[in-house]
Amino acid sequence: MMRSKPTLHCTNRLLLNLQINRNNTTPSSSSWNTQLRELAKQGQYEEGLRLYRQMLRSPAAPNAFTFPFALKSSAALSLPTSGEQLHCHVIKTGCHDEPFVQTALISMYCKCCLVGNARKLFDESPQSKQLTVCYNALISGYTQNSQFSNAVALFCQMRLAGVAVNSVTMLGLTPGCTSPMHLVFGMSLHCCNVKSGLASDLSAQNCLLTMYVRCGSVELARRCFDGMPEKGLITWNAMISGYSQNGLATHVLDLYREMELSGICPDAVTLVGVLSCCANLGAQKIGREVEQKIERSGIVCNSFLKNGLINMYSRCGNLVRARAIFDGMREKNLVSWTAIIGGYGMHGQGEIAVQLFDEMIRTGIRPDGTVFVSVLSACSHTGLTDKGLDYFYMMERNYGLLPGAEHYCCIVDLLGRAGRLQEARKLIESMSVEPDGAVWGALLGACKIHKDVELAELAFDRVIELEPTNTGYYVLLSNIYSEAKNIWGVSRMRVMIKERKLKKDPGCSYVEYKGKTHLFVAGDKSNPQTAEIYKLLDKLEGLILALGRPTKHEIERRNEELISRMGVHSEKLAIAFALLNSVGKEILVIKNLRVCGDCHLFIKLVSKIVDCHFVVRDATRFHHFKNGVCSCNDYW
DNA sequence: ATAGGGTTAG
């Protein structure tokens, strides 16, 4: 992308020196300006400012043509001190009434996060209020400084003043629509664009597409995308990232393929989106292809891409490769550390995760809420209870970070696993933020481990208030009743599910095969090999029986009717599919929720029969099944 | 010659 930059840089230097030294006369202001313009055009802003300072020392005086370039450089580098200095020079040279300079000043202050200064300039100059460009600069400034309501107010003021609105006005305003509550306004902007004939502009369309994604409507974004007769790289990237951010991983892969077919060359931004979906799907082969593509095509592997690779390899079970990339990074940022810490946590290697976290702190990186989620969940999976609690209290005390529901969720899980159930319950009751379903769900899960029916019922009541349609919780409590031989409880769950007309477990599983990912949901019959899959599952049940083990898990037998309502679990279908197609010695199955007890036992027994190593990644961690043994007993 | 805009990770 920016590969040729260093050479250009040298060339420019040479050119500059040549031009300044060739003619023994001192260069005129306009020749300084030409050089400044070239540097700004090529994004060499540091060089630009250096040149400007050089100019100040020369006999040539800066003029109205000098400032826009110099200001642009300060703005791009977000250097308010240098910007304010330039402002002084502007006044000293009497250029402050020049509209171009005024606009550049407004824009500079906005980019340096000093919107107040920008507004003051705007208000104090009567002519600014007549100029589209000044409004545009300030409107986009408000938007970029998260002051959308001010941007909208100024937009209204602009229209009342009768100042012409153009496509750049829309480009400044549209990105302010960032949440579903802005959708209606965003759509009205879209209409406005169409009516005033501004909609054919490629950038405006890219902007609208992104706006729909951020407002939560991927469908409308896709409709925009499909309606664009000419698509640029940014168009494809915006759509791919849109799918990726909304977890529509298979759509990402389809679109990426389509993009390649249409002859558009992906760049780093594209591949970041693709890697993120490979991570979600456990599609390591596709992810590896992406890595090879980076090496072959000479795309600069920037920190975004490296972090994407670390995350992809960690979540596909290849910690060795993830670690190698991490170790090879010269400048590791917070995201890099979070990705690798999360990777070790998911693999049950909490000690290493904790060591890495401490190392990160030592290198002077300030942690945020997300990296605390990684390290806290790593502690809970490895039973590092006290260590986890230390970190939890450290959050607020040392870093002023208020724990959110997701942190409480980790701590409830941590205390729960350690059998400190009442402590966990008290913690929930003392929470400063409203507990969500996951928090009570964690307590419910802990009650299963420690067979506490009474507390389980309490947690269940709370969780079901918050997530009444999540069938996983009904099954979980039913399993708890089942283990306690509480037949009444089991049937109560059955009735509740029936009455509430809850049907399918929303869970799904993925397997990668021949460079494609195959999706299964519970009770799925849409796969072309469905008949063979069910036949193989029957055969496996038979083989398990021949081992002298029960055909079905005891719990599953008691819950038979309940399970049959849910359909065959997605994990079982995915495993049968993988075996049927000889995916390999090691089979990776991705489950979007938690692996349940029934499947856990089933997979364990199957790994005894077939010469295969199963790796299941669920919502929280990796489970390795081999020769009838599993690496952990962590399931719902 | 001179001002205003869109896509990226945990």
Side-chain angles (χ1 to χ4, degrees):
Chain A
M1 208 170 36
M2 306 282 250
R3 251 182 319 154
S4 45
K5 218 172 142 184
T7 32
L8 273 174
H9 179 97
C10 294
T11 321
N12 268 314
R13 255 250 157 99
L14 281 174
L15 258 173
L16 188 70
N17 292 336
L18 273 175
Q19 197 163 331
I20 292 170
N21 297 332
R22 196 196 297 141
N23 27 12
N24 268 336
T25 60
T26 42
S28 63
S29 295
S30 76
S31 74
W32 286 99
N33 291 348
T34 311
Q35 294 299 326
L36 266 171
R37 184 184 54 190
E38 271 312 300
L39 291 175
K41 208 161 127 193
Q42 285 158 18
Q44 296 180 37
Y45 301 114
E46 289 100 338
E47 278 294 298
L49 285 178
R50 212 167 293 148
L51 188 68
Y52 174 74
R53 282 193 290 269
Q54 211 176 320
M55 180 182 182
L56 285 185
R57 286 193 298 271
S58 82
N63 60 25
F65 294 134
T66 317
F67 292 116
F69 300 126
L71 285 166
K72 193 176 184 166
S73 302
S74 302
L77 300 168
S78 200
L79 299 170
T81 337
S82 138
E84 275 173 339
Q85 217 170 43
L86 281 165
H87 191 178
C88 292
H89 298 171
V90 166
I91 294 168
K92 228 187 281 175
T93 39
C95 296
H96 51 279
D97 279 332
E98 202 58 55
F100 298 106
V101 179
Q102 253 172 26
T103 315
L105 277 169
I106 292 174
S107 164
M108 177 277 294
Y109 278 122
C110 290
K111 296 239 164 69
C112 294
C113 303
L114 298 166
V115 210
N117 292 12
R119 182 65 193 229
K120 204 159 164 261
L121 266 177
F122 179 81
D123 283 338
E124 284 167 1
S125 151
Q127 64 161 341
S128 295
K129 295 191 205 68
Q130 311 285 318
L131 292 171
T132 303
V133 278
C134 283
Y135 278 96
N136 289 355
L138 196 51
I139 287 174
S140 92
Y142 278 131
T143 304
Q144 276 159 17
N145 287 279
S146 335
Q147 299 182 26
F148 186 47
S149 52
N150 286 332
V152 176
L154 192 61
F155 177 61
C156 295
Q157 194 184 319
M158 179 182 183
R159 305 226 298 185
L160 280 174
V163 177
V165 169
N166 65 14
S167 64
V168 183
T169 320
M170 294 304 175
L171 293 174
L173 209 49
T174 321
C177 302
T178 51
S179 81
M181 64 179 202
H182 298 136
L183 183 61
V184 176
F185 182 74
M187 289 172 90
S188 75
L189 284 179
H190 192 167
C191 290
C192 190
N193 268 6
V194 173
K195 268 190 228 142
S196 38
L198 304 171
S200 59
D201 184 73
L202 182 61
S203 309
Q205 286 178 306
N206 291 339
C207 235
L208 287 166
L209 197 166
T210 307
M211 183 271 291
Y212 283 122
V213 170
R214 293 211 265 243
C215 290
S217 179
V218 200
E219 291 79 15
L220 286 173
R222 181 61 198 237
R223 221 179 290 169
C224 256
F225 181 83
D226 288 334
M228 288 171 69
E230 276 178 39
K231 303 176 179 66
L233 176 60
I234 291 183
T235 317
W236 288 93
N237 286 351
M239 197 64 236
I240 285 178
S241 313
Y243 278 140
S244 159
Q245 285 155 14
N246 283 280
L248 294 161
T250 50
H251 295 249
V252 173
L253 291 184
D254 291 342
L255 204 58
Y256 176 55
R257 206 136 285 169
E258 211 182 301
M259 177 178 174
E260 283 189 313
L261 286 175
S262 71
I264 306 267
C265 237
D267 72 351
V269 179
T270 323
L271 299 183
V272 165
V274 175
L275 283 175
S276 143
C277 94
C278 291
N280 290 332
L281 294 171
Q284 190 181 173
K285 283 199 192 81
I286 305 174
R288 205 173 289 152
E289 276 171 32
V290 170
E291 191 183 16
Q292 284 158 0
K293 188 175 193 95
I294 297 168
E295 285 159 6
R296 269 204 320 269
S297 64
I299 291 172
V300 174
C301 197
N302 63 20
S303 62
F304 279 83
L305 268 175
K306 288 212 172 101
N307 292 341
L309 284 168
I310 295 171
N311 183 40
M312 183 274 294
Y313 280 119
S314 302
R315 295 173 60 95
C316 291
N318 191 343
L319 260 184
V320 176
R321 184 80 193 108
R323 183 63 189 256
I325 296 168
F326 176 81
D327 286 338
M329 275 179 94
R330 276 195 306 118
E331 290 195 3
K332 305 170 175 67
N333 62 24
L334 182 56
V335 178
S336 330
W337 288 95
T338 310
I340 197 75
I341 290 169
Y344 280 104
M346 288 185 91
H347 283 85
Q349 304 197 39
E351 284 91 354
I352 300 179
V354 162
Q355 280 168 19
L356 283 166
F357 183 83
D358 292 342
E359 199 182 321
M360 179 191 87
I361 300 287
R362 275 200 302 276
T363 58
I365 289 181
R366 198 179 169 79
D368 70 354
T370 313
V371 72
F372 269 108
V373 172
S374 288
V375 75
L376 291 177
S377 81
C379 289
S380 91
H381 289 312
T382 321
L384 300 169
T385 313
D386 292 327
K387 192 86 190 153
L389 286 170
D390 281 348
Y391 285 132
F392 182 67
Y393 293 121
M394 200 192 274
M395 269 182 79
E396 197 171 345
R397 203 182 45 221
N398 298 9
Y399 303 102
L401 296 165
L402 290 177
E406 64 279 23
H407 303 103
Y408 281 101
C409 190
C410 293
I411 295 299
V412 168
D413 193 64
L414 183 96
L415 289 171
R417 279 169 205 278
R420 295 154 72 168
L421 293 175
Q422 291 305 325
E423 237 176 292
R425 177 197 165 169
K426 279 189 199 117
L427 183 76
I428 299 177
E429 283 160 357
S430 76
M431 276 171 64
S432 45
V433 286
E434 217 34 53
D436 62 7
V439 175
W440 288 110
L443 185 63
L444 188 58
C447 291
K448 177 168 191 299
I449 302 172
H450 298 285
K451 307 189 195 305
D452 188 330
V453 180
E454 203 181 312
L455 190 56
E457 286 174 331
L458 183 139
F460 177 79
D461 288 343
R462 299 282 176 281
V463 84
I464 239 56
E465 253 171 59
L466 296 161
E467 292 180 39
T469 60
N470 191 333
T471 51
Y473 296 124
Y474 297 85
V475 177
L476 183 54
L477 184 60
S478 179
N479 285 350
I480 295 173
Y481 281 138
S482 211
E483 276 182 25
K485 305 213 186 333
N486 181 341
I487 305 302
W488 175 83
V490 174
S491 65
R492 184 166 79 97
M493 287 303 104
R494 195 167 56 208
V495 170
M496 276 179 97
I497 289 183
K498 212 179 237 170
E499 274 179 2
R500 298 181 180 194
K501 298 193 167 47
L502 302 175
K503 274 215 178 84
K504 227 170 228 171
D505 178 2
C508 62
S509 299
Y510 298 95
V511 170
E512 187 186 39
Y513 171 57
K514 281 196 175 166
K516 269 188 145 176
T517 53
H518 300 262
L519 165 78
F520 297 90
V521 292
D524 206 333
K525 295 205 166 148
S526 62
N527 191 285
Q529 288 175 293
T530 293
E532 289 143 285
I533 289 171
Y534 281 84
K535 223 164 111 187
L536 180 60
L537 284 173
D538 274 345
K539 197 174 144 199
L540 289 170
E541 299 274 3
L543 289 168
I544 290 169
L545 186 65
L547 281 175
R549 298 295 298 259
T551 352
K552 284 182 177 165
H553 190 349
E554 196 193 349
I555 294 172
E556 187 174 337
R557 197 148 24 82
R558 289 213 196 95
N559 286 333
E560 202 148 4
E561 197 182 326
L562 204 135
I563 299 290
S564 71
R565 284 187 68 81
M566 304 293 170
V568 177
H569 284 98
S570 62
E571 297 93 316
K572 290 190 180 181
L573 296 171
I575 280 182
F577 172 85
L579 288 173
L580 209 55
N581 294 296
S582 317
V583 167
K585 274 261 179 230
E586 187 182 290
I587 294 171
L588 174 65
V589 175
I590 308 295
K591 166 93 201 244
N592 67 339
L593 304 171
R594 299 273 301 257
V595 175
C596 73
D598 312 311
C599 286
H600 199 268
L601 182 70
F602 176 81
I603 301 167
K604 223 151 72 174
L605 294 172
V606 172
S607 79
K608 199 168 193 165
I609 298 166
V610 300
D611 185 24
C612 256
H613 178 189
F614 297 104
V615 182
V616 180
R617 187 190 89 201
D618 69 7
T620 65
R621 65 175 307 159
F622 280 84
H623 306 255
H624 293 264
F625 298 87
K626 206 174 188 175
N627 300 324
V629 191
C630 180
S631 57
C632 60
N633 278 323
D634 184 3
Y635 49 78
W636 272 17

mmCIF file with all atom_site columns, all heavy atoms in Angstrom, chain A residues 130-133 135-136 158-159 161-166 169, chain B residues 4:
data_model
loop_
_atom_site.group_PDB
_atom_site.id
_atom_site.type_symbol
_atom_site.label_atom_id
_atom_site.label_alt_id
_atom_site.label_comp_id
_atom_site.label_asym_id
_atom_site.label_entity_id
_atom_site.label_seq_id
_atom_site.pdbx_PDB_ins_code
_atom_site.Cartn_x
_atom_site.Cartn_y
_atom_site.Cartn_z
_atom_site.occupancy
_atom_site.B_iso_or_equiv
_atom_site.pdbx_formal_charge
_atom_site.auth_seq_id
_atom_site.auth_comp_id
_atom_site.auth_asym_id
_atom_site.auth_atom_id
_atom_site.pdbx_PDB_model_num
ATOM 1   N N     . GLN A 1 130 ? -21.048 32.127 5.246  1.00 0.00 ? 130 GLN A N     1
ATOM 2   C CA    . GLN A 1 130 ? -21.606 32.131 3.889  1.00 0.00 ? 130 GLN A CA    1
ATOM 3   C C     . GLN A 1 130 ? -20.993 31.007 3.062  1.00 0.00 ? 130 GLN A C     1
ATOM 4   O O     . GLN A 1 130 ? -21.408 30.792 1.938  1.00 0.00 ? 130 GLN A O     1
ATOM 5   C CB    . GLN A 1 130 ? -21.248 33.469 3.182  1.00 0.00 ? 130 GLN A CB    1
ATOM 6   C CG    . GLN A 1 130 ? -21.528 34.717 3.980  1.00 0.00 ? 130 GLN A CG    1
ATOM 7   C CD    . GLN A 1 130 ? -22.996 35.034 4.016  1.00 0.00 ? 130 GLN A CD    1
ATOM 8   O OE1   . GLN A 1 130 ? -23.673 34.929 3.003  1.00 0.00 ? 130 GLN A OE1   1
ATOM 9   N NE2   . GLN A 1 130 ? -23.498 35.395 5.184  1.00 0.00 ? 130 GLN A NE2   1
ATOM 10  N N     . LEU A 1 131 ? -20.000 30.331 3.633  1.00 0.00 ? 131 LEU A N     1
ATOM 11  C CA    . LEU A 1 131 ? -19.216 29.411 2.811  1.00 0.00 ? 131 LEU A CA    1
ATOM 12  C C     . LEU A 1 131 ? -19.522 27.949 3.101  1.00 0.00 ? 131 LEU A C     1
ATOM 13  O O     . LEU A 1 131 ? -19.413 27.497 4.245  1.00 0.00 ? 131 LEU A O     1
ATOM 14  C CB    . LEU A 1 131 ? -17.721 29.648 3.056  1.00 0.00 ? 131 LEU A CB    1
ATOM 15  C CG    . LEU A 1 131 ? -17.161 30.979 2.559  1.00 0.00 ? 131 LEU A CG    1
ATOM 16  C CD1   . LEU A 1 131 ? -15.736 31.166 3.057  1.00 0.00 ? 131 LEU A CD1   1
ATOM 17  C CD2   . LEU A 1 131 ? -17.203 31.032 1.035  1.00 0.00 ? 131 LEU A CD2   1
ATOM 18  N N     . THR A 1 132 ? -19.867 27.235 2.065  1.00 0.00 ? 132 THR A N     1
ATOM 19  C CA    . THR A 1 132 ? -20.124 25.801 2.197  1.00 0.00 ? 132 THR A CA    1
ATOM 20  C C     . THR A 1 132 ? -18.938 25.089 2.847  1.00 0.00 ? 132 THR A C     1
ATOM 21  O O     . THR A 1 132 ? -19.117 24.292 3.764  1.00 0.00 ? 132 THR A O     1
ATOM 22  C CB    . THR A 1 132 ? -20.379 25.204 0.808  1.00 0.00 ? 132 THR A CB    1
ATOM 23  O OG1   . THR A 1 132 ? -21.469 25.890 0.217  1.00 0.00 ? 132 THR A OG1   1
ATOM 24  C CG2   . THR A 1 132 ? -20.697 23.729 0.894  1.00 0.00 ? 132 THR A CG2   1
ATOM 25  N N     . VAL A 1 133 ? -17.731 25.398 2.370  1.00 0.00 ? 133 VAL A N     1
ATOM 26  C CA    . VAL A 1 133 ? -16.564 24.660 2.867  1.00 0.00 ? 133 VAL A CA    1
ATOM 27  C C     . VAL A 1 133 ? -16.337 24.841 4.360  1.00 0.00 ? 133 VAL A C     1
ATOM 28  O O     . VAL A 1 133 ? -15.926 23.905 5.045  1.00 0.00 ? 133 VAL A O     1
ATOM 29  C CB    . VAL A 1 133 ? -15.271 25.018 2.105  1.00 0.00 ? 133 VAL A CB    1
ATOM 30  C CG1   . VAL A 1 133 ? -15.179 24.253 0.805  1.00 0.00 ? 133 VAL A CG1   1
ATOM 31  C CG2   . VAL A 1 133 ? -15.169 26.505 1.884  1.00 0.00 ? 133 VAL A CG2   1
ATOM 32  N N     . TYR A 1 135 ? -18.691 25.439 6.656  1.00 0.00 ? 135 TYR A N     1
ATOM 33  C CA    . TYR A 1 135 ? -19.692 24.581 7.303  1.00 0.00 ? 135 TYR A CA    1
ATOM 34  C C     . TYR A 1 135 ? -19.246 23.124 7.236  1.00 0.00 ? 135 TYR A C     1
ATOM 35  O O     . TYR A 1 135 ? -19.289 22.399 8.234  1.00 0.00 ? 135 TYR A O     1
ATOM 36  C CB    . TYR A 1 135 ? -21.052 24.734 6.615  1.00 0.00 ? 135 TYR A CB    1
ATOM 37  C CG    . TYR A 1 135 ? -21.837 25.939 7.065  1.00 0.00 ? 135 TYR A CG    1
ATOM 38  C CD1   . TYR A 1 135 ? -21.802 27.133 6.333  1.00 0.00 ? 135 TYR A CD1   1
ATOM 39  C CD2   . TYR A 1 135 ? -22.604 25.893 8.218  1.00 0.00 ? 135 TYR A CD2   1
ATOM 40  C CE1   . TYR A 1 135 ? -22.518 28.241 6.737  1.00 0.00 ? 135 TYR A CE1   1
ATOM 41  C CE2   . TYR A 1 135 ? -23.331 26.999 8.632  1.00 0.00 ? 135 TYR A CE2   1
ATOM 42  C CZ    . TYR A 1 135 ? -23.288 28.175 7.893  1.00 0.00 ? 135 TYR A CZ    1
ATOM 43  O OH    . TYR A 1 135 ? -24.002 29.253 8.303  1.00 0.00 ? 135 TYR A OH    1
ATOM 44  N N     . ASN A 1 136 ? -18.806 22.706 6.052  1.00 0.00 ? 136 ASN A N     1
ATOM 45  C CA    . ASN A 1 136 ? -18.386 21.304 5.885  1.00 0.00 ? 136 ASN A CA    1
ATOM 46  C C     . ASN A 1 136 ? -17.287 20.927 6.867  1.00 0.00 ? 136 ASN A C     1
ATOM 47  O O     . ASN A 1 136 ? -17.346 19.863 7.494  1.00 0.00 ? 136 ASN A O     1
ATOM 48  C CB    . ASN A 1 136 ? -17.887 21.084 4.458  1.00 0.00 ? 136 ASN A CB    1
ATOM 49  C CG    . ASN A 1 136 ? -19.015 21.107 3.450  1.00 0.00 ? 136 ASN A CG    1
ATOM 50  O OD1   . ASN A 1 136 ? -20.187 21.195 3.827  1.00 0.00 ? 136 ASN A OD1   1
ATOM 51  N ND2   . ASN A 1 136 ? -18.666 21.043 2.187  1.00 0.00 ? 136 ASN A ND2   1
ATOM 52  N N     . MET A 1 158 ? -27.115 25.788 8.546  1.00 0.00 ? 158 MET A N     1
ATOM 53  C CA    . MET A 1 158 ? -26.588 25.991 7.194  1.00 0.00 ? 158 MET A CA    1
ATOM 54  C C     . MET A 1 158 ? -27.713 26.081 6.165  1.00 0.00 ? 158 MET A C     1
ATOM 55  O O     . MET A 1 158 ? -27.741 26.959 5.309  1.00 0.00 ? 158 MET A O     1
ATOM 56  C CB    . MET A 1 158 ? -25.681 24.791 6.889  1.00 0.00 ? 158 MET A CB    1
ATOM 57  C CG    . MET A 1 158 ? -25.039 24.777 5.532  1.00 0.00 ? 158 MET A CG    1
ATOM 58  S SD    . MET A 1 158 ? -24.075 23.262 5.411  1.00 0.00 ? 158 MET A SD    1
ATOM 59  C CE    . MET A 1 158 ? -23.334 23.502 3.799  1.00 0.00 ? 158 MET A CE    1
ATOM 60  N N     . ARG A 1 159 ? -28.684 25.172 6.330  1.00 0.00 ? 159 ARG A N     1
ATOM 61  C CA    . ARG A 1 159 ? -29.802 25.171 5.374  1.00 0.00 ? 159 ARG A CA    1
ATOM 62  C C     . ARG A 1 159 ? -30.674 26.395 5.549  1.00 0.00 ? 159 ARG A C     1
ATOM 63  O O     . ARG A 1 159 ? -31.150 26.986 4.573  1.00 0.00 ? 159 ARG A O     1
ATOM 64  C CB    . ARG A 1 159 ? -30.607 23.884 5.542  1.00 0.00 ? 159 ARG A CB    1
ATOM 65  C CG    . ARG A 1 159 ? -29.727 22.641 5.401  1.00 0.00 ? 159 ARG A CG    1
ATOM 66  C CD    . ARG A 1 159 ? -30.318 21.607 4.529  1.00 0.00 ? 159 ARG A CD    1
ATOM 67  N NE    . ARG A 1 159 ? -31.573 21.104 5.062  1.00 0.00 ? 159 ARG A NE    1
ATOM 68  C CZ    . ARG A 1 159 ? -32.234 20.105 4.506  1.00 0.00 ? 159 ARG A CZ    1
ATOM 69  N NH1   . ARG A 1 159 ? -31.758 19.509 3.432  1.00 0.00 ? 159 ARG A NH1   1
ATOM 70  N NH2   . ARG A 1 159 ? -33.371 19.698 5.020  1.00 0.00 ? 159 ARG A NH2   1
ATOM 71  N N     . ALA A 1 161 ? -29.666 29.255 6.561  1.00 0.00 ? 161 ALA A N     1
ATOM 72  C CA    . ALA A 1 161 ? -28.928 30.395 6.024  1.00 0.00 ? 161 ALA A CA    1
ATOM 73  C C     . ALA A 1 161 ? -28.891 30.379 4.498  1.00 0.00 ? 161 ALA A C     1
ATOM 74  O O     . ALA A 1 161 ? -28.363 31.299 3.875  1.00 0.00 ? 161 ALA A O     1
ATOM 75  C CB    . ALA A 1 161 ? -27.511 30.404 6.583  1.00 0.00 ? 161 ALA A CB    1
ATOM 76  N N     . GLY A 1 162 ? -29.409 29.314 3.939  1.00 0.00 ? 162 GLY A N     1
ATOM 77  C CA    . GLY A 1 162 ? -29.453 29.233 2.481  1.00 0.00 ? 162 GLY A CA    1
ATOM 78  C C     . GLY A 1 162 ? -28.102 28.949 1.842  1.00 0.00 ? 162 GLY A C     1
ATOM 79  O O     . GLY A 1 162 ? -27.908 29.186 0.653  1.00 0.00 ? 162 GLY A O     1
ATOM 80  N N     . VAL A 1 163 ? -27.162 28.410 2.635  1.00 0.00 ? 163 VAL A N     1
ATOM 81  C CA    . VAL A 1 163 ? -25.854 28.064 2.080  1.00 0.00 ? 163 VAL A CA    1
ATOM 82  C C     . VAL A 1 163 ? -25.969 26.718 1.356  1.00 0.00 ? 163 VAL A C     1
ATOM 83  O O     . VAL A 1 163 ? -26.611 25.792 1.865  1.00 0.00 ? 163 VAL A O     1
ATOM 84  C CB    . VAL A 1 163 ? -24.794 27.990 3.202  1.00 0.00 ? 163 VAL A CB    1
ATOM 85  C CG1   . VAL A 1 163 ? -23.447 27.567 2.663  1.00 0.00 ? 163 VAL A CG1   1
ATOM 86  C CG2   . VAL A 1 163 ? -24.696 29.334 3.904  1.00 0.00 ? 163 VAL A CG2   1
ATOM 87  N N     . ALA A 1 164 ? -25.361 26.648 0.189  1.00 0.00 ? 164 ALA A N     1
ATOM 88  C CA    . ALA A 1 164 ? -25.492 25.433 -0.622 1.00 0.00 ? 164 ALA A CA    1
ATOM 89  C C     . ALA A 1 164 ? -24.873 24.219 0.068  1.00 0.00 ? 164 ALA A C     1
ATOM 90  O O     . ALA A 1 164 ? -23.775 24.289 0.619  1.00 0.00 ? 164 ALA A O     1
ATOM 91  C CB    . ALA A 1 164 ? -24.821 25.658 -1.972 1.00 0.00 ? 164 ALA A CB    1
ATOM 92  N N     . VAL A 1 165 ? -25.622 23.126 0.054  1.00 0.00 ? 165 VAL A N     1
ATOM 93  C CA    . VAL A 1 165 ? -25.152 21.852 0.597  1.00 0.00 ? 165 VAL A CA    1
ATOM 94  C C     . VAL A 1 165 ? -24.577 21.045 -0.566 1.00 0.00 ? 165 VAL A C     1
ATOM 95  O O     . VAL A 1 165 ? -25.164 21.034 -1.638 1.00 0.00 ? 165 VAL A O     1
ATOM 96  C CB    . VAL A 1 165 ? -26.343 21.103 1.225  1.00 0.00 ? 165 VAL A CB    1
ATOM 97  C CG1   . VAL A 1 165 ? -25.973 19.673 1.555  1.00 0.00 ? 165 VAL A CG1   1
ATOM 98  C CG2   . VAL A 1 165 ? -26.837 21.823 2.469  1.00 0.00 ? 165 VAL A CG2   1
ATOM 99  N N     . ASN A 1 166 ? -23.437 20.420 -0.359 1.00 0.00 ? 166 ASN A N     1
ATOM 100 C CA    . ASN A 1 166 ? -22.914 19.560 -1.429 1.00 0.00 ? 166 ASN A CA    1
ATOM 101 C C     . ASN A 1 166 ? -22.589 18.167 -0.913 1.00 0.00 ? 166 ASN A C     1
ATOM 102 O O     . ASN A 1 166 ? -22.894 17.844 0.244  1.00 0.00 ? 166 ASN A O     1
ATOM 103 C CB    . ASN A 1 166 ? -21.704 20.224 -2.102 1.00 0.00 ? 166 ASN A CB    1
ATOM 104 C CG    . ASN A 1 166 ? -20.520 20.382 -1.149 1.00 0.00 ? 166 ASN A CG    1
ATOM 105 O OD1   . ASN A 1 166 ? -20.492 19.777 -0.082 1.00 0.00 ? 166 ASN A OD1   1
ATOM 106 N ND2   . ASN A 1 166 ? -19.561 21.185 -1.535 1.00 0.00 ? 166 ASN A ND2   1
ATOM 107 N N     . THR A 1 169 ? -20.687 17.868 2.363  1.00 0.00 ? 169 THR A N     1
ATOM 108 C CA    . THR A 1 169 ? -21.494 18.101 3.564  1.00 0.00 ? 169 THR A CA    1
ATOM 109 C C     . THR A 1 169 ? -22.048 16.762 4.063  1.00 0.00 ? 169 THR A C     1
ATOM 110 O O     . THR A 1 169 ? -21.999 16.449 5.258  1.00 0.00 ? 169 THR A O     1
ATOM 111 C CB    . THR A 1 169 ? -22.683 19.034 3.264  1.00 0.00 ? 169 THR A CB    1
ATOM 112 O OG1   . THR A 1 169 ? -22.262 20.067 2.381  1.00 0.00 ? 169 THR A OG1   1
ATOM 113 C CG2   . THR A 1 169 ? -23.246 19.628 4.530  1.00 0.00 ? 169 THR A CG2   1
ATOM 114 P P     . DG  B 2 4   ? -8.967  20.277 3.723  1.00 0.00 ? 4   DG  B P     1
ATOM 115 O OP1   . DG  B 2 4   ? -8.339  19.791 4.962  1.00 0.00 ? 4   DG  B OP1   1
ATOM 116 O OP2   . DG  B 2 4   ? -8.588  19.688 2.418  1.00 0.00 ? 4   DG  B OP2   1
ATOM 117 O "O5'" . DG  B 2 4   ? -10.557 20.175 3.849  1.00 0.00 ? 4   DG  B "O5'" 1
ATOM 118 C "C5'" . DG  B 2 4   ? -11.197 20.454 5.088  1.00 0.00 ? 4   DG  B "C5'" 1
ATOM 119 C "C4'" . DG  B 2 4   ? -12.655 20.070 4.980  1.00 0.00 ? 4   DG  B "C4'" 1
ATOM 120 O "O4'" . DG  B 2 4   ? -13.270 20.824 3.928  1.00 0.00 ? 4   DG  B "O4'" 1
ATOM 121 C "C3'" . DG  B 2 4   ? -12.844 18.604 4.605  1.00 0.00 ? 4   DG  B "C3'" 1
ATOM 122 O "O3'" . DG  B 2 4   ? -13.038 17.868 5.812  1.00 0.00 ? 4   DG  B "O3'" 1
ATOM 123 C "C2'" . DG  B 2 4   ? -14.144 18.621 3.797  1.00 0.00 ? 4   DG  B "C2'" 1
ATOM 124 C "C1'" . DG  B 2 4   ? -14.171 20.024 3.204  1.00 0.00 ? 4   DG  B "C1'" 1
ATOM 125 N N9    . DG  B 2 4   ? -13.785 20.051 1.798  1.00 0.00 ? 4   DG  B N9    1
ATOM 126 C C8    . DG  B 2 4   ? -12.561 19.772 1.273  1.00 0.00 ? 4   DG  B C8    1
ATOM 127 N N7    . DG  B 2 4   ? -12.519 19.908 -0.034 1.00 0.00 ? 4   DG  B N7    1
ATOM 128 C C5    . DG  B 2 4   ? -13.793 20.316 -0.376 1.00 0.00 ? 4   DG  B C5    1
ATOM 129 C C6    . DG  B 2 4   ? -14.356 20.623 -1.647 1.00 0.00 ? 4   DG  B C6    1
ATOM 130 O O6    . DG  B 2 4   ? -13.816 20.588 -2.757 1.00 0.00 ? 4   DG  B O6    1
ATOM 131 N N1    . DG  B 2 4   ? -15.692 20.991 -1.536 1.00 0.00 ? 4   DG  B N1    1
ATOM 132 C C2    . DG  B 2 4   ? -16.386 21.066 -0.360 1.00 0.00 ? 4   DG  B C2    1
ATOM 133 N N2    . DG  B 2 4   ? -17.658 21.442 -0.444 1.00 0.00 ? 4   DG  B N2    1
ATOM 134 N N3    . DG  B 2 4   ? -15.881 20.791 0.826  1.00 0.00 ? 4   DG  B N3    1
ATOM 135 C C4    . DG  B 2 4   ? -14.582 20.420 0.750  1.00 0.00 ? 4   DG  B C4    1
#
